[in-house]
Amino acid sequence: MKIKKAVIPAAGWGTRLLPATKAQPKEMLPIVDKPTIQYIVEEAVEAGIEDILLITSKDKQSIEDHFDKSAELESALKEKGKTEMLKEVQHISNMITIHTVRQKEQNGLGHAISCAETFVGDDPFAVLLGDDIIRSEKPVIKQMMEVFEEKNAPVLGCKLVADKDVNKYGIVDYSSKEGDVYQVEDMVEKPELDEAPSNLAILGRYIITPDIFPILENTPPGKGGEIQLTDALKTLLNKRTVYGYDFDGKRYDVGNKEGFLQTTVEFALEREDLGADFKKYLKQLVENL
C-alpha cells in the first residue's frame, strides 16, 4: 500500500531554544531564510506525500499562515517586479494541501500522534518530526516508504549514535539485520548507556500503521510523565513485526541551540548566492580569534 498521508507534530514549547521561542513557534525559526518547518514539508512533498496534517497548538497560527496564500504580499511583489520572490511565495502556498489540528495540551509525542486519528483513518502514514532536518539524495521518508512497501510493516528511521548521545533518544533492540534493515525486538526511551540495548537510535521519521491509535488511547504516561510514542510502539511489537531502517542521509538536530547554529552555518555555506562570501568571512573570523 502506498503512503499518501503525513503527520508533522508541531505543538511543543520549544524550551531548548528559549527565549527565541517565547512568542514565536520554534518551527518558524529560519535556517538562513527558510523556516525549519518548510524543510520538513518539502521532504514530504518530494517523497510523494499528497496530504499533510500539522499538529499545532495555541499561539502557532503563524505556521498555518506561512503555508497559506498571501494575496497582499503577492500583489506587492508583482507591482515591484520582484518576480523570483513572487514565485517563491506562490510555491510555498501551492506545493501541497495542508490540514491542521490543535493538540490542546502538550502531553507527549504519543498524545500528539493520537490527534491525527480522524485524518489518518485506515491508512498507514508517515510521521516527520520538526526538530530533525535530514539532507539526502532521496528523501529519507521516501526511502522508508519503499521499505514499508516491501515489508508491509511499520518502519522506524534510525541511525547509530555515539555513546554520549544514547540517553537523548529512543533506542532499538534488534534480533536480526539485513542490509540497512533491522528487525526490532524492543525499544527503550532515552536510556542511560548501561541500560541501552544498542546504539541504534530512532531519529525523527516513522511509517506507522493505523492500529497504533487504540494502543495510544490506552498507553499510560511514561518518561517525563508524558504519553510516549515509543511505549505505544513497544506494545505494537506484540501484534506485528516492526523494522528499523538505517537511512541514507545527514541529520541535523535544529531543536537545540548548538545544532541550530551548526545547521545554519552549513546550509549557508552551500548556498550559491551566499556561500563564497560567507566562507571568506568565517575564515577571517577564525583567523582573528
Side-chain angles (χ1 to χ4, degrees):
M1 183 181 289
K2 298 284 187 181
I3 307 294
K4 296 297 182 183
K5 297 177 180 178
V7 175
I8 302 177
W13 292 110
T15 52
R16 292 186 295 168
L17 290 168
L18 282 169
T21 51
K22 179 178 181 291
Q24 67 174 323
K26 65 176 181 177
E27 296 82 5
M28 290 301 295
L29 295 177
I31 303 297
V32 187
D33 57 3
K34 185 189 297 185
T36 58
I37 190 70
Q38 188 174 331
Y39 289 97
I40 310 302
V41 169
E42 286 175 345
E43 179 187 335
V45 172
E46 289 169 16
I49 294 294
E50 296 178 358
D51 288 289
I52 291 176
L53 177 69
L54 297 176
I55 310 292
T56 64
S57 60
K58 183 177 177 292
D59 299 327
K60 295 214 172 186
Q61 183 67 39
S62 61
I63 300 177
E64 299 175 41
D65 292 343
H66 181 69
F67 293 102
D68 199 0
K69 185 176 178 66
S70 177
E72 296 86 353
L73 176 58
E74 290 182 21
S75 178
L77 292 173
K78 188 175 181 179
E79 286 179 11
K80 294 179 180 180
K82 297 185 177 181
T83 307
E84 291 304 312
M85 288 185 183
L86 177 61
K87 286 180 181 178
E88 177 65 21
V89 167
Q90 290 174 332
H91 164 72
I92 293 168
S93 56
N94 293 334
M95 71 171 115
I96 196 170
T97 301
I98 298 281
H99 310 267
T100 61
V101 65
R102 280 193 176 183
Q103 183 185 13
K104 295 181 180 178
E105 55 179 336
Q106 280 88 342
N107 197 22
L109 178 57
H111 181 261
I113 299 302
S114 70
C115 298
E117 184 173 8
T118 300
F119 168 78
V120 167
D122 296 325
D123 300 321
F125 61 103
V127 174
L128 300 90
L129 302 190
D131 282 351
D132 299 281
I133 295 176
I134 306 175
R135 304 291 291 276
S136 57
E137 243 179 75
K138 179 187 290 185
V140 165
I141 205 66
K142 178 64 174 177
Q143 298 174 35
M144 294 171 59
M145 288 159 63
E146 291 173 355
V147 176
F148 174 83
E149 288 168 18
E150 177 188 344
K151 302 290 188 181
N152 193 31
V155 184
L156 315 177
C158 297
K159 273 291 181 190
L160 293 168
V161 298
D163 287 352
K164 65 181 179 62
D165 294 325
V166 160
N167 63 357
K168 299 176 183 177
Y169 307 106
I171 299 295
V172 168
D173 187 11
Y174 56 90
S175 59
S176 62
K177 177 180 183 291
E178 183 180 343
D180 294 323
V181 180
Y182 298 74
Q183 184 167 329
V184 177
E185 292 299 321
D186 197 6
M187 287 164 273
V188 184
E189 181 65 22
K190 298 180 180 177
E192 294 304 319
L193 181 60
D194 59 357
E195 299 172 346
S198 75
N199 285 57
L200 191 63
I202 306 168
L203 295 179
R205 299 292 184 273
Y206 307 79
I207 304 291
I208 307 178
T209 46
D211 48 350
I212 195 69
F213 291 113
I215 296 173
L216 284 168
E217 189 175 342
N218 294 288
T219 298
K223 194 91 171 182
E226 298 180 331
I227 297 172
Q228 298 291 347
L229 179 59
T230 301
D231 292 340
L233 290 168
K234 282 165 62 76
T235 302
L236 186 63
L237 274 170
N238 298 324
K239 299 184 176 184
R240 60 160 69 232
T241 304
V242 175
Y243 293 95
Y245 173 65
D246 188 350
F247 57 78
D248 180 20
K250 182 173 181 179
R251 177 249 187 183
Y252 297 85
D253 181 358
V254 297
N256 68 81
K257 293 172 185 178
E258 183 178 355
F260 186 87
L261 289 170
Q262 291 172 349
T263 306
T264 300
V265 170
E266 288 194 32
F267 280 37
L269 288 171
E270 293 174 4
R271 289 273 293 262
E272 289 185 6
D273 59 336
L274 298 172
D277 288 341
F278 189 51
K279 183 177 182 179
K280 188 184 298 182
Y281 162 74
L282 290 176
K283 186 177 180 181
Q284 291 173 346
L285 182 65
V286 171
E287 288 173 350
N288 292 329
L289 287 179

